[in-house]
Amino acid sequence: MKTRLRLGSRLVAATLVVAAFLLCLQLLHPSPVVVSVSGSSSETTRLPGFFAYRDVGVVLVTSFVLGACSTYLFLDWRAETERSPAEDDAEPTSKQLEVEDEPGSVTISDELLERRHREWDTIAPKLSQAERDIYEQIPDADGVLEQRLIVAQTDHSKATVSRKLDRLEGKNLVERRRRGMGKVVFLR
């Protein structure tokens, strides 16, 4: 399952949090009810258990927003976790680079490799020299490479490779998965 949320989902999740906060705030602190004592003077008192019309309106609107946001996020999550039957019947256009039964196996499509090679001219200027040295190793190895081999193939230390891979992961260019005692780095 993807751990990244799309921008729309982030906006809906933020709206959900704000609506929940407003609902709790309104339920815990209702508006005071004004009770008139005499003809020319009035006294403001809080009557326990009573809500003004404004309070009821705020509760109804925030409840509706909470329900709508929750439904959207649930359906979005469900759509991402379910695969359509057409995807299952489709011919695989991928190279299986690891044994499927092995934990940490990764499948990289030829299309992804070609796209990353085409995008290299736009990606390269955004990377530091060390990040470029490390990133170049991965597409050259058909999109999957053990982290220890990156250290061996470059002049960078283990710590530098690890830090630079963290940055490349933050830019959604690569992803690492644990495999045995080491990690496998693959294109994203």
Side-chain angles (χ1 to χ4, degrees):
M1 187 170 105
K2 291 183 179 180
T3 56
R4 286 184 302 140
L5 292 175
R6 293 188 314 264
L7 180 60
S9 296
R10 288 182 181 175
L11 182 62
V12 171
T15 305
L16 178 85
V17 169
V18 170
F21 176 75
L22 289 175
L23 180 63
C24 290
L25 189 66
Q26 190 63 50
L27 289 174
L28 293 174
H29 303 288
S31 301
V33 177
V34 176
V35 177
S36 180
V37 177
S38 67
S40 63
S41 65
S42 64
E43 182 180 333
T44 302
T45 59
R46 186 178 296 268
L47 297 176
F50 290 98
F51 288 95
Y53 289 121
R54 181 184 153 278
D55 298 336
V56 173
V58 169
V59 168
L60 288 175
V61 169
T62 55
S63 297
F64 175 77
V65 169
L66 279 170
C69 291
S70 300
T71 302
Y72 176 85
L73 290 173
F74 174 74
L75 293 175
D76 188 47
W77 168 78
R78 192 168 170 203
E80 287 181 13
T81 57
E82 291 181 354
R83 292 185 66 186
S84 69
E87 289 175 308
D88 293 335
D89 296 337
E91 285 291 319
T93 59
S94 304
K95 292 180 185 174
Q96 186 66 31
L97 299 172
E98 304 292 330
V99 180
E100 282 191 28
D101 296 335
E102 191 174 320
S105 67
V106 177
T107 303
I108 300 295
S109 69
D110 294 331
E111 183 180 309
L112 176 64
L113 280 171
E114 290 174 22
R115 185 168 20 112
R116 289 298 186 197
H117 281 294
R118 286 191 309 267
E119 294 172 349
W120 177 244
D121 292 334
T122 57
I123 293 172
K126 299 175 185 175
L127 302 176
S128 68
Q129 184 61 42
E131 290 171 340
R132 270 184 260 158
D133 293 343
I134 292 166
Y135 181 80
E136 285 175 337
Q137 302 298 316
I138 301 162
D140 292 343
D142 290 332
V144 177
L145 190 60
E146 292 181 28
Q147 186 169 335
R148 67 178 178 82
L149 293 176
I150 295 173
V151 173
Q153 293 173 0
T154 62
D155 294 332
H156 303 293
S157 68
K158 287 181 184 181
T160 300
V161 169
S162 182
R163 276 196 317 272
K164 298 305 176 183
L165 285 172
D166 285 341
R167 294 198 57 174
L168 290 170
E169 277 186 301
K171 295 175 183 179
N172 290 323
L173 295 174
V174 299
E175 187 173 335
R176 287 183 286 186
R177 289 190 189 164
R178 180 156 297 284
R179 185 169 143 210
M181 294 297 290
K183 290 183 181 177
V184 175
V185 181
F186 60 95
L187 290 178
R188 199 164 168 120

